[in-house]
Amino acid sequence: MSDIEVPVLIIGGGGAGLTASMLLSDLGIEHLLVSALPGTSTLPKAHVVNQRSMEIYRKLGVAGDIYEAGTPPEAMARTAWYAGLNGDDPVYGREIASQEVWGAGYTDPDYIAASPCRMTNLPQLRLEPVLLKHAKRKNQDAIRFNHELLSFTQDDAGVSSTVLNKDTGETYTVRSQYLYGADGGRKVGAEAGIELLGQRNILYTVSVHFTADLSKYLKDPSVLINWMWPAHTGNMTLLVPMGPDNWGPGSQEWVFHENYAFDDNRVADDEILIANMKKALGLPDLEPTVHKISRWTFEALVAERFQEDRVFLLGDAAHRHGPTGGLGLNTAIQDAYNLCWKTAAVLRGQASPALLETYQAERQPVAATNVRRSTENAMNHLAIGEALGVSPANSTEDNLASLRRVWSEDAADDDFRAVLSATIAAQSMEFREHNIEAGFRYDSAAIVLDPRCAWIRDRGHTAAGAILVRPDKFIAFRADKAGDSPDEELRQAFLSIAGRS
C-alpha cells in the first residue's frame, strides 16, 4: 500500500477512537483511524451512557440512533438487591431493597433540569456499530479495521507510524502531525514510555453473555441491574438485561457477572463456568445459549502522563476503571471532546501548541477522580454483603438465617436492618452521581479566571458582562461587568486561551 500523510492518526476503533473520528470530521480535520481488531467490540460491557456524553452525541447527530437502540427510560429507572434468583427456600428471589438510578427514567427533576438529553443504556457491542456507521457517514475513507500499528517514531515536525494491513500482509507508513492513542493501552502508551499507575488485580470477574428466558423469575420491569446474594454460594452475582428487542424481565439476552479468586483454576474451563452460573442462579436445568465468556480484572489505573510530545492518550489507554458507575466509557468520550477542538485550533493556526498541553491538565484530574469513584462504588457493594452477613465462608443455612433477618419482625434485628439500610443507601454514590458525571471543573491555562466575577447562577451576568464558551461547552472566561477596556480584555482572554499571551 502507498504511504499516507494526514494531520491526525487515531489508533483504536472503540468508543474513544470512533468519537474522536466523528468530532474531527465535523471540525473539518483530515484524519485516519486504524484498529488492529477485525471489527467493533463483541463484549456487552460499558453500557451506561450519561447525560454529558449524550449531549456530545446529540451534537454529532448520533443521539437518535443510540436512543432508538438503547434501553427505554422506564426500564432503567431502578436497581434492586435480591436474596438470589431461585431456590428451595421461600427467601430466594425476595427483594432486599431497591433504589432509583440515574434520574429514575428521566423523571427526577434534577436530571431533567440538568440536560435536555436523558441517560441511556446500550452495551458496547451494540453502541460501537452505531458509532462506526456515523463515523463512516462523515468520512468513509478514514476508518480501517484489521490494520495494526507496529511502531512509531516522533520528531520535531510530526509522527511516523508503521501500519500492517492484516488482510494483505502489506505494511505502509503514516506521517501525521499528531497521534491519538485510543487503543485501550495495547500499544501506544507503552511505546511512548508512559506507565499506567494505580491498583491492579483488585477483583477477578467472569462475565457470561447468554440468551435465556428469565421472565419467570424477575418481575420488576423498571430494574436495570439485578444484584443477587444467593445463600448457597454466598457470593454476589449480577444479572443485567442486554435486550435487544425487549428489556427488563422480558429481555432476550443477559450478562451474568461473578467474582472468582485469582488462583481459582476453574476460570479456565468454560463448561465449569456455565455450570457455576446455573448453580448461582438456582437454575440447574437452564439451557442458555452462550454467546461469549470473558474474564477480566478490576483495575484502578491512571496514566502518569496523557501526552508525550505529539502523542496523546485517551480512553482506556489513559485510565482504566471498574464498571461500577459506568464511568469508563463516558470519561473516554469526554477525553475526545476535550482534545479534538484543541487539535483543530492548533492545526488551523488559531492557537499555539501550548493549548494542547491543557489536555492533560484538564482531563487527568477528572480521570483520577472517576477511577477512584468506580472503585469506591465497587467496595460499597461488597460492604452490602458484609452488612447482610452473607459470605462464601458461611454455610447455606447460616446465610439463609442472615437473609431472613431482613424481613424479621423481631426487634432484636432492628440494628441489623438499620446498618443494612444505611449501607445500601450509600450506593447512591454510584446511581446518583451528577457531581461526578457532569459537575467536574477544569483548572488550566485554557480557563481565564476573573477575580471580580462572583458565582454565576443560570449563566447570568449584568448587561455589560460577558461569558465566553469554549467549543466543548466549558466556560473559558466570564466577566460580571465590563472593565475599563472591555475589547482589549476580551482579546487578551482569547489570546490566553489560545496559548498566545
Coordinates of all heavy atoms in Angstrom, one line a residue, residues 22 131-141 143 145:
M22 N -15.4 11.1 14.6 CA -16.6 12.0 14.3 C -16.4 13.4 14.6 O -16.7 14.3 13.8 CB -17.8 11.4 15.0 CG -18.3 10.1 14.5 SD -19.9 9.6 15.2 CE -19.3 9.1 16.9
L131 N -21.8 4.0 16.4 CA -20.7 5.0 16.2 C -20.0 4.8 14.9 O -19.7 5.8 14.2 CB -19.8 4.9 17.4 CG -20.4 5.1 18.8 CD1 -19.3 5.1 19.8 CD2 -21.2 6.4 18.9
L132 N -19.7 3.5 14.5 CA -19.0 3.3 13.3 C -19.8 3.7 12.1 O -19.2 4.3 11.1 CB -18.6 1.8 13.2 CG -17.9 1.3 12.0 CD1 -16.6 2.0 11.8 CD2 -17.8 -0.2 12.0
K133 N -21.0 3.4 12.1 CA -21.9 3.8 11.0 C -21.8 5.3 10.7 O -21.7 5.8 9.6 CB -23.3 3.4 11.2 CG -24.3 3.8 10.1 CD -25.8 3.5 10.5 CE -26.3 4.4 11.5 NZ -27.8 4.3 11.7
H134 N -21.9 6.1 11.8 CA -21.9 7.5 11.7 C -20.5 8.1 11.4 O -20.3 9.0 10.6 CB -22.4 8.2 12.9 CG -23.9 8.1 13.0 ND1 -24.8 9.0 12.5 CD2 -24.7 7.2 13.6 CE1 -26.0 8.7 12.7 NE2 -26.0 7.6 13.4
A135 N -19.4 7.4 11.9 CA -18.1 7.8 11.6 C -17.8 7.6 10.1 O -17.2 8.5 9.4 CB -17.1 7.0 12.4
K136 N -18.3 6.5 9.5 CA -18.1 6.3 8.1 C -19.0 7.2 7.3 O -18.6 7.6 6.2 CB -18.5 4.8 7.8 CG -17.5 3.8 8.2 CD -17.8 2.4 7.7 CE -16.7 1.4 8.0 NZ -17.0 0.1 7.5
R137 N -20.2 7.6 7.8 CA -21.0 8.5 7.1 C -20.3 9.9 7.0 O -20.4 10.5 5.9 CB -22.3 8.7 7.8 CG -23.2 9.8 7.3 CD -24.5 9.9 8.1 NE -24.4 10.1 9.5 CZ -24.2 11.4 10.0 NH1 -24.1 12.4 9.2 NH2 -24.1 11.5 11.3
K138 N -19.6 10.2 8.0 CA -18.9 11.5 8.0 C -17.6 11.5 7.2 O -17.2 12.5 6.6 CB -18.6 12.0 9.4 CG -19.9 12.3 10.2 CD -19.5 12.5 11.7 CE -20.7 12.8 12.6 NZ -21.3 14.1 12.3
N139 N -17.0 10.3 7.1 CA -15.7 10.2 6.4 C -15.4 8.7 6.1 O -14.7 8.0 6.9 CB -14.5 10.8 7.3 CG -13.3 11.0 6.5 OD1 -13.1 10.3 5.5 ND2 -12.4 11.8 7.0
Q140 N -16.0 8.2 5.0 CA -16.0 6.8 4.7 C -14.5 6.3 4.6 O -14.3 5.1 5.0 CB -16.7 6.6 3.3 CG -16.6 5.2 2.8 CD -17.5 4.2 3.6 OE1 -18.5 4.6 4.1 NE2 -17.0 3.0 3.8
D141 N -13.6 7.0 4.1 CA -12.3 6.5 3.8 C -11.3 6.6 5.0 O -10.2 6.2 4.9 CB -11.7 7.3 2.6 CG -12.5 7.0 1.3 OD1 -13.0 5.9 1.2 OD2 -12.5 8.0 0.5
I143 N -11.6 5.2 8.0 CA -11.7 4.1 9.0 C -11.2 2.8 8.4 O -11.6 2.3 7.4 CB -13.2 3.9 9.4 CG1 -13.9 5.2 9.8 CG2 -13.3 2.9 10.6 CD1 -13.4 5.9 11.0
F145 N -10.3 -1.0 9.9 CA -10.1 -2.1 10.8 C -9.2 -3.2 10.3 O -9.0 -3.3 9.0 CB -11.5 -2.7 11.2 CG -12.3 -1.9 12.2 CD1 -13.1 -0.8 11.8 CD2 -12.1 -2.1 13.6 CE1 -13.7 0.0 12.8 CE2 -12.8 -1.4 14.5 CZ -13.6 -0.3 14.1

